[in-house]
Amino acid sequence: MKDIIIIGAGPSGVSAALYAKARGKDILILEKEQIGGIIGHVSKVSHYASVDKNETGESFRKKLEAQLKYSNIEVVYEKAISIKKETDKFIIVTDKDTYEAKKVIYAAGSKLKELEVDEIKSYHWPFGKEDLLKDKLVIINGGSDGAAKEGLYISKFAREVHIVQDKDKLLCIDEFKKKIEDSSNIIVHTSEKIVSKVSNSEIKLSSGKTIKDKDEILVFVQIGQSGNSDILKNLENFDLENSFVKTDIESTIDGLFFAGDIRVKSVRQVSTAVCDGTIAGIKASQSL
Ligand SMILES: Cc1cc2nc3c(=O)[nH]c(=O)nc-3n(C[C@H](O)[C@H](O)[C@H](O)COP(=O)(O)OP(=O)(O)OC[C@H]3O[C@@H](n4cnc5c(N)ncnc54)[C@H](O)[C@@H]3O)c2cc1C
């Protein structure tokens, strides 16, 4: 049986692991995809203290991966599918195995919401798709920081970028707003939704107008996130708000801790995820 199992190797899970390992605990991280979490996919990691000028999600996630490796922290690439609490331990079943732990830190973060128009093929992340974007007309759906940042990245390669969002103004930070205003190839459509595909080269918006090109239009979606909370349904005493868990880092279930974006919180950034992970790693260790 492990002292602590951490579910998720995003910034919060990695931080929790580093602090618990330093306290001599026998720990294991379960990760379903790749070390780094959602930030590992972004075109640029902005504003987090210590990042390089052009830190990409990929370079940032590789640093986390290297840190786990030189800290001798074991990561198993399996998807946790259920957590059960017994008197003095937790049983975690994954898609491949079953594990036992005295304490669990749930740091499973969130996933991006999908466009609810099935007939339109869409993507989330432009990083790594630069060749595909070249000279294309691209629509990015969403108006918050994530959409604005990825839209700006797309505009370096695409011929024209159309930001389509349902609010009456962009909701992103001033830094991105200014760059979008100064851009010569970004067009913003406010109070609009993507409703259907007329053809591969024509997309219809809610007002009835269409965005049209001579070639296939690529659609990227950044319309928010939902919490990865499905596997918590078997546990009692859980309060979810739009799929995120309403909880302190130390939950009402003895021995179960929560860290990072999975929690209901007003600011979801790497710094707040790392902060949660630090506290969870230390508190879980102290409780053993
Ligand atoms: C488009 C976009 C741009 C952003 N840009 C910035 C930025 O520039 N600066 C900044 O500070 N923040 C940024 N953020 C926010 C930042 O990415 C998050 O706040 C941070 O990644 C949260 O970390 P986390 O560890 O809580 O969760 P996540 O990063 O979501 O990591 C959770 C991990 O858990 C794994 N997992 C989930 N379910 C399971 C399971 N059942 N079993 C095993 N593993 C599982 C996932 O695969 C993932 O690796 C951005 C977010 C988005 C969406």
Side-chain angles (χ1 to χ4, degrees):
M1 174 156 59
K2 293 281 174 192
D3 287 334
I4 305 172
I5 287 185
I6 297 159
I7 300 176
S12 62
V14 170
S15 299
L18 292 168
Y19 282 89
K21 178 78 180 183
R23 281 156 182 75
K25 305 306 167 200
D26 181 19
I27 62 169
L28 170 70
I29 302 185
L30 297 172
E31 169 53 53
K32 73 178 167 67
E33 206 186 305
Q34 62 173 15
I35 292 167
I38 215 163
I39 197 73
H41 298 281
V42 305
S43 56
K44 185 177 175 187
V45 182
S46 325
H47 315 122
Y48 183 58
S50 87
V51 290
D52 291 332
K53 189 172 176 219
N54 287 314
E55 187 88 62
T56 64
E58 180 64 10
S59 60
F60 186 74
R61 73 154 219 95
K62 283 200 165 135
K63 289 180 185 172
L64 296 178
E65 196 168 54
Q67 198 172 7
L68 288 179
K69 202 166 179 195
Y70 71 66
S71 306
N72 292 318
I73 292 171
E74 188 185 1
V75 182
V76 170
Y77 289 91
E78 292 176 23
K79 180 180 181 179
I81 51 176
S82 77
I83 305 174
K84 200 169 125 202
K85 165 92 176 152
E86 291 191 349
T87 321
D88 53 357
K89 65 180 177 187
F90 290 88
I91 314 281
I92 300 170
V93 178
T94 71
D95 47 358
K96 294 197 186 104
D97 219 330
T98 299
Y99 298 87
E100 291 184 355
K102 294 176 197 159
K103 310 282 169 186
V104 171
I105 298 175
Y106 194 77
S110 65
K111 55 179 168 292
L112 294 185
K113 288 184 180 166
E114 301 294 336
L115 180 69
E116 284 174 0
V117 185
D118 292 344
E119 69 212 46
I120 299 179
K121 179 181 172 183
S122 60
Y123 304 88
H124 288 306
W125 303 109
F127 186 80
K129 299 188 182 67
E130 295 76 9
D131 286 347
L132 183 70
L133 297 167
K134 225 167 174 209
D135 298 328
K136 285 271 172 28
L137 186 155
V138 179
I139 295 176
I140 179 136
N141 190 201
S144 60
D145 292 345
K149 180 161 68 176
E150 298 308 327
L152 284 162
Y153 184 70
I154 292 169
S155 72
K156 292 183 189 170
F157 310 95
R159 176 169 38 84
E160 208 170 287
V161 178
H162 291 250
I163 297 180
V164 175
Q165 72 134 353
D166 57 1
K167 305 288 181 302
D168 60 1
K169 58 176 189 285
L170 283 176
L171 296 180
C172 61
I173 54 172
D174 293 347
E175 176 190 330
F176 297 154
K177 236 181 250 172
K178 173 94 177 64
K179 285 183 180 163
I180 289 169
E181 278 161 18
D182 292 347
S183 162
S184 58
N185 65 341
I186 301 182
I187 298 148
V188 179
H189 305 259
T190 51
S191 307
E192 289 278 19
K193 282 183 180 174
I194 295 175
V195 290
S196 62
K197 176 171 103 171
V198 180
S199 69
N200 283 344
S201 55
E202 189 171 3
I203 301 291
K204 193 171 179 186
L205 305 184
S206 46
S207 67
K209 80 176 174 192
T210 66
I211 300 175
K212 219 172 163 179
D213 198 34
K214 51 184 182 0
D215 295 323
E216 184 185 1
I217 294 174
L218 300 180
V219 178
F220 283 76
V221 178
Q222 283 284 348
I223 50 173
Q225 291 131 258
S226 49
N228 287 322
S229 58
D230 285 359
I231 74 163
L232 302 171
K233 282 178 186 151
N234 294 340
L235 294 167
E236 281 172 19
N237 290 333
F238 267 96
D239 209 359
L240 291 182
E241 190 178 292
N242 298 324
S243 72
F244 293 95
V245 188
K246 261 181 143 173
T247 177
D248 287 335
I249 292 171
E250 214 164 347
S251 81
T252 49
I253 296 181
D254 185 33
L256 179 59
F257 297 78
F258 286 86
D261 277 12
I262 186 63
R263 295 175 60 225
V264 170
K265 49 164 75 177
S266 54
V267 179
R268 289 201 174 88
Q269 289 286 287
V270 173
S271 52
T272 56
V274 164
C275 173
D276 278 14
T278 303
I279 296 168
I282 293 174
K283 285 204 164 189
S285 301
Q286 286 171 344
S287 69
L288 278 159

